[in-house]
Amino acid sequence: MTAPRRIADGATDSLRFTFDGRAMTARPGVTLAAALLANGVSLVARSFKYHRPRGVMAAGVEEPNALVTVGEGGRTEPNTRATDVFVYDGLVARSQNAWPSLNFDMGAMNGMLARFLPAGFYYKTFFGPASRWMLYERFIRRAAGLGKAPVDSDPDDFEHRAAFCDVLVVGGGPAGIQAARDAAAAGGRVILAEQDAVLGGSALRDGIAVPDPVQAGVRVMLRTTASGNWDHGFVTLVERIAEPGQQPPAGMPAQRLWHVRAKRIVLATGAIERPLTFAGNDRPGVMLASAVRAYIRRHGVLAGQRVVIATNNDDAYRTADAVREAGGTVVAILDSRADTPAGVHPVFADAAPLAAHGGRGGITAVTARIGTTTRRLRADVIAMSGGFTPVVHLHSQAGGTLGWREDIQAFVPEGGPEWIESVGSAVGEVEPIAPASAELPDPKHSFIDFQNDVAASDVDLAWREGYRSVEHLKRYTTLGMATDQGKTSNMAGLARLATSAGVTIPQAGLTTFRPPYTPLTLGAMAGADGGGHAAPRRRIPLHDAHEARGALWQPLGLWHRPRAYPQTGETLHDAALREARAVRTVAGCTDVSTLAKFAVRGPDAARLLELVCATGIAKLAVGRGRYTFMLREDGIVLDDGTVWRLDENDYLLTSSTGGADRMEAHLSYVHRVLAPTLRVSVVAQQEHYAGIALAGPRAVAILADLAGIEPPAHMGLAHAEVCGLRTLILAASYSGERAFELYAAGHDAAPIWDAIENKVRAAGGFPYGLEALEFLRIEKGHVVIGAEADGRTTPHDLGLERMLRKTGGFVGAQALARPALTAPDRRRLVGLVSPEQIPEGAMLVADHGAPVEGHVSSAGPRLLETGGAALALLAGGMARQGETLLATSPTRDRHVRVTVTAPVFHDPDGARYRD
Amino acid sequence: MMLIDCPYCGERAQAEFTYERTLDSIVSLDMPVEEVLARLFSRANPRGEDRELWRHTSGCRQWLVLRRHRRTHAIAAVDPYAPDDPE
Amino acid sequence: MKRYSAMALLRAGLTGQRGWERAWRDPEPKPHYDVIVIGGGGHGLSTAYYLAKVHGVRSVAVLERGWIGGGNTGRNTTIVRSNYRQKPLHDLFDFALGLWEGMSDELNYNVMFSPRGALFLGHSDADMTQLAQRGDALRCSGIDAELMTGDDVHRLVPLLDMSPDARFPIHGGLIQRRGGTARHDAVAWGYARAADAQGVDVIQNCEVTGLVMAGGRVTGVETTRGTIGAGRVGICVAGNSGPVAAMAGLKLPIEAQTLQAFVTEPVKPMIDTVVMSQSLHCYVSQSDKGGIVLGGDPDQFPSYAQRGLPIRLEKAAAEAIALVPALSRLRMVRCWSGTTDMSFDGSPIISALPVDGLYLNGGWCYGGFKATPGSGWCYAHLLATGESHPLAAPFSFDRFATGATIDEAGVGFMPQLR
């Protein structure tokens, strides 16, 4: 047996790389697979299940065997096809899925037990309790998987970009280049995407020059794979700027995902050669014939000295020519056809390989059937060609249909979206073949899916057991489910299935083609959104002011709002208590900028508001505001807020922070779709204004001082100049104290905050955050969207039914009439008190073990007394006032006795609002 | 990623649009309860074409009616929403 | 049905894998059955099995237009759990979980049910309170739920980004240790084999093209393989519920929507638990073969295309990397999608329909796989007795008209908001 080697052609190796720690060299422009062969390395990997020795079989992305781990640290890319990485200086590659070493792999014991581990064996055993299965599973999981994921963070960036073109050509082989040049000549914007590092495609292995499309005005993208063909000409491309494990150039991402919208797509995706099915066809040294030729002509590597060619078509003869030119010996061409081309090589008609013999390092001989006799041929390489399978993935992904070509025994694009066209070998311009005979003397070692170790015997077994649909065959045997997704196995598997079924291959069907065409990193999929940018962080206008005061931030959707301003040594809870008590006793200020705000203006403004809001609107006087709530069309509470009449036809609607986008869409829907003739405009103003709430017994005095006006009465409003800025002042209160919300333009408002805070502090108060706000509003019994109004509660549930507008005519009125929505046993809003703190979220039961009758929706401490207060939803609601229940939280091991009260604990009559 | 020909903005990617509901599920505030419940809570849900209300949320923010095939995603028409649209 | 066992495997290994029988027959449709189940997915097949096993109803046919398990049973991300907040849901799913725990032995088919834990991450104190509430509701119903601190979570899933300034910082989580994963295809095959052994006819390549009605009652089905009479007909076709119900002139509170998922190339074990999030739609787990299985937002518009939006996958990848940075260099090897039957409150419908003799099991949205045995058990009860099983009673067809909806997410009747 002779190892693979470099062809002496004068080129020098200038790149250094290592494989399993061994230093090697390579010339520029070669793949790692070619470089390994050039350095005499035959054994590159171990198969998934049986850990059989594997080498390089192909020269392109269809490679099923030569999977290695490339790179170090956070750049490590496991499961990299050695044929799909170009050597760079310093490349570090390691074999995977072998222990303790590639040469001596304990996992090969699986291979010795192969007869007991056929396809689907695991479905037939491992019974017993789940714990026993999980024990086996631990071993199975450890044995499974190929490479190991990196642990360090990824040091590189990834990027998304968009591109638009008239024609996207996928594939830079001869047909693709021609199509691109033609399209450019016709005057369109043309992009040509080629997954290889150079253009040429199939021409590269035949040493044929191809014209330069860039000259013709085509935008060429190399190392760029068309990954997915989606709706309406939308294609995702993956551009590899750095090779796996390679540091990208400064300032560049490692990989780019392109979102391309093309008016037309030309698929020049080529065809993939098929292996032949015979015993030992998975051994190192058994290769695709076109690959042997590509290694010679493109990479200057001869895979072995003595080459047996096995084929059912003419193309492999070119490989024989190339082997001869490179100084190798063509031992025989085993042609399965009866008629063979004439030529210089030793050709045997009606001949096929039966078995490849050899060891870890490669093959040593081939047993061939020649006519009715068998012969043993000494060989280092078997170059096999079972014909060519047009690459139809992108065509099929977009819904294109396939037709069967009997002469090439392959599926080709047939019908499909009119903007997609296939050309070249992708549309079936490949060598005709004679279909293989079905005879296999040793199906157990005749592999079909190399990576997943699926042999012909497994396909036969699946058939015997009734897994006969092509999808069942795939899922039962895992044929076609490896990282190559069946590129070199699907057709052989189908052929074997069809033979068992006694049907033709097209009758047997095909599995579904799905993106990606070749695997792409999650990093590229995430682009710049990976890591810290997966969702934007929305900052309030006064963010810096709060940050400077040591605010603890709380996320609310994408927004971040101050939660509390702890002083040194204070816990969050202590800080919030201090802040909330200050509001009750003197004053406090808080940021309310994120509240949704809508300017509703026009002669029909009130009409629109009446459609959206379930409460009275029409009688609202100019200069006044009131609480309101809005329903979904199904009668459930959607949101709540306040509505203010700034002028005759000028209203301001406020609603919850979290529901802002939803409310904007709802207002727009009601206006534009339900009531388009209304003369009204709605402007969403959530981000325009900074909002500061000033609350407490001293609020009136502070505001008078600050704004130089008579502060408006509760639920009144005023305009004023504060710190020289136009400010809208709404006398609304969420805290239960006399309060004002001041709104000014967001980018100007910092001085207003400073001024308010200074006065508040001077009065003995503090700025307060969301935590304190929660304590305050719970005591006052204000429901909150997300807690009491949880998307399942009605106005009746929340005790708001008396506010419903009797005349109806609001969104949700009709569906609210559904009987279950007003049933007496519904869970309704109540208050709970206890000497202890009540766990928020706890279940309400009569006692341990009793059925759950409700839950605690919001809970907080009493502020001016001891003990806890809570709002809850309880079956029967206020009819149970005075009852004692258990608020139980098994997950937090807290169980608190509570008493049912009215859902308000502070100033139920609203005396605090009256000056 | 469908390409939607917004009557105001031209051809834009689907990512800019939000599906709202089918045209025949729109209920008006003067409809009787039985009709409201039937329209809100049941759908033909065909494997073929339907008329759908979408909004160009990241564009002109207008409401549009798409006549679209649910299996092939072929869009036969995109029109501004008009209240007297026959269903 | 020849029993599977380690001994049988040993014997087969020594005799060249001869002696295995067909897992299920390929029968010709009979002229009439007591019950026809339309749809040969996990739910339909488990229904047929329990009809025979529990109720002794063996004159049953499961009609599958393609290959069994070819719908959502073959496309889901294999998560099994019962940790829902709403009691009718968690009671039903937990009943199913109990059946999962004995399924492999019951069916004599290893469905690889692996209770490796189903963990919901909490990213804020508010999340943690929501998780505690969910956990408390579960524990009060006797279902396992444990709150975990950030340290607990880190020990369980060491590759999670626990840094406080992560975009989605992890405060802790809620875990159901009895939850986990199962081999989805095996569930269909296991139930098919067991049902077949009970005498049920599992008939593939048989598409129902119409319903036979007589006097306002369904009396059979028209199929691509002829007309078949039936005592009762149960629709069990997930995303295709609408078109099948339309054969009886019915509209349903269901809209079809695409949901995608994807898997990476197989790697050595790195994530042992199913990781989901209280506030993100993204979820991550690792299959026994080693691939990392991921999912995210649904496509949010009606579709039967079984082909989705790439930006949903991209967002799921971004969120997954934010949670587990080590995922960045792993490669998606395949993505796929299914057609989910989105009901108008997010909960299933297991109910008689307003046409006599016709029943529906559908509307499972994207949560049907975990319910497979429980769904089948309840549907079998309904089809055998004409009465709802107590666990299925809340999931009636008419609950939208009465308002007794069960909305876990609280988003209402617009499926794309779910």
Side-chain angles (χ1 to χ4, degrees), chain A residues 737-761:
Chain A
E737 300 307 316
R738 185 79 158 94
F740 305 93
E741 289 174 6
L742 285 78
Y743 292 99
H747 43 81
D748 291 339
I752 300 181
W753 173 272
D754 290 343
I756 292 177
E757 190 198 345
N758 288 339
K759 294 208 177 292
V760 162
R761 285 190 184 274

Side-chain angles (χ1 to χ4, degrees), chain A residues 177-188 190 211-220:
Chain A
I177 292 173
Q178 189 58 49
R181 287 164 58 89
D182 291 346
V190 183
D212 175 16
V214 173
Q215 290 274 325
V218 175
R219 176 179 176 185
V220 172

Side-chain angles (χ1 to χ4, degrees), chain A residues 349-422:
Chain A
D350 188 25
L354 291 178
H357 311 283
R360 283 196 311 259
I363 63 165
T364 53
V366 178
T367 301
R369 176 189 62 77
I370 299 173
T372 50
T373 61
T374 60
R375 238 170 93 169
R376 193 174 167 99
L377 302 162
R378 271 197 315 117
D380 307 315
V381 171
I382 303 175
M384 55 183 176
S385 180
F388 290 82
T389 308
V391 174
V392 299
H393 299 56
L394 293 170
H395 169 87
S396 302
Q397 286 175 18
T401 55
L402 300 173
W404 177 253
R405 281 264 307 275
E406 187 67 22
D407 59 326
I408 59 172
Q409 291 287 294
F411 291 100
V412 297
E414 196 170 68
E418 69 268 14
W419 59 84
I420 303 178
E421 183 196 347
S422 293

Side-chain angles (χ1 to χ4, degrees), chain A residues 421-782:
Chain A
E421 183 196 347
S422 293
V423 297
S425 41
V427 79
E429 290 168 13
V430 297
E431 297 285 351
I433 68 169
S437 112
E439 295 293 318
L440 274 187
D442 184 3
K444 230 161 60 70
H445 297 103
S446 304
F447 287 89
I448 291 183
D449 186 313
F450 299 96
Q451 193 172 123
N452 275 351
D453 282 332
V454 180
S457 58
D458 292 314
V459 177
D460 298 341
L461 175 64
W463 175 263
R464 283 205 300 282
E465 295 199 87
Y467 300 92
R468 299 186 171 181
S469 123
V470 63
E471 281 283 350
H472 284 158
L473 167 67
K474 166 185 167 181
R475 288 152 185 265
Y476 187 66
T477 63
T478 74
L479 187 157
M481 294 179 73
T483 65
D484 62 322
Q485 291 288 294
K487 289 183 177 62
T488 53
S489 57
N490 276 344
M491 292 310 298
L494 212 51
R496 190 104 186 137
L497 171 70
T499 306
S500 298
V503 301
T504 64
I505 292 178
Q507 284 173 328
L510 258 187
T511 54
T512 315
F513 291 94
R514 293 279 190 191
Y517 175 62
T518 48
L520 77 142
T521 60
L522 263 54
M525 290 173 70
D529 288 347
H533 305 288
R537 283 178 220 257
R538 302 192 75 178
R539 291 188 169 185
I540 52 182
L542 294 170
H543 178 95
D544 292 340
H546 299 297
E547 179 74 4
R549 284 152 179 83
L552 281 180
W553 293 99
Q554 175 164 334
L556 226 92
L558 299 175
W559 290 103
H560 287 70
R561 297 180 62 177
R563 190 172 181 189
Y565 304 82
Q567 296 170 344
T568 328
E570 267 188 329
T571 62
L572 165 67
H573 188 77
D574 292 342
L577 260 181
R578 169 182 52 77
E579 294 168 10
R581 282 183 182 138
V583 173
R584 285 271 181 264
T585 55
V586 284
C589 53
T590 193
D591 193 307
V592 294
S593 304
T594 58
L595 286 175
K597 298 169 271 296
F598 302 94
V600 183
R601 298 182 181 124
D604 293 325
R607 274 296 297 134
L608 180 66
L609 289 167
E610 283 191 320
L611 295 176
V612 171
C613 299
T615 62
I617 300 288
K619 297 215 185 78
L620 188 62
V622 175
R624 300 288 300 166
R626 61 169 66 146
Y627 173 77
T628 187
F629 55 88
M630 310 81 164
L631 307 184
R632 286 192 318 228
E633 273 174 307
D634 61 1
I636 299 298
V637 172
L638 173 69
D639 211 335
D640 73 348
T642 55
V643 57
W644 304 83
R645 193 170 188 180
L646 303 178
D647 205 336
E648 179 79 22
N649 292 327
D650 185 352
Y651 292 79
L652 178 69
L653 177 70
T654 74
S655 59
S656 74
T657 296
D661 291 341
R662 189 180 53 199
M663 183 55 61
E664 190 279 333
H666 185 60
L667 285 163
S668 179
Y669 176 78
V670 173
H671 177 199
R672 302 286 184 183
V673 178
L674 295 187
T677 56
L678 291 185
R679 296 158 300 164
V680 61
S681 81
V682 179
V683 179
Q685 301 182 314
Q686 184 190 38
E687 300 99 341
H688 299 196
Y689 297 106
I692 301 162
L694 165 65
R698 302 288 303 273
V700 169
I702 292 173
L703 182 65
D705 198 6
L706 206 61
I709 58 161
E710 174 84 16
H714 182 66
M715 296 317 281
L717 63 94
H719 298 274
E721 284 238 332
V722 179
C723 301
L725 294 158
R726 276 178 49 82
T727 306
L728 171 65
I729 301 170
L730 305 176
S733 174
Y734 194 50
S735 56
E737 300 307 316
R738 185 79 158 94
F740 305 93
E741 289 174 6
L742 285 78
Y743 292 99
H747 43 81
D748 291 339
I752 300 181
W753 173 272
D754 290 343
I756 292 177
E757 190 198 345
N758 288 339
K759 294 208 177 292
V760 162
R761 285 190 184 274
F766 303 100
Y768 62 105
L770 284 175
E771 192 81 2
L773 192 49
E774 265 297 282
F775 297 168
L776 291 160
R777 70 98 187 159
I778 288 169
E779 276 202 325
K780 188 61 183 173
H782 286 308

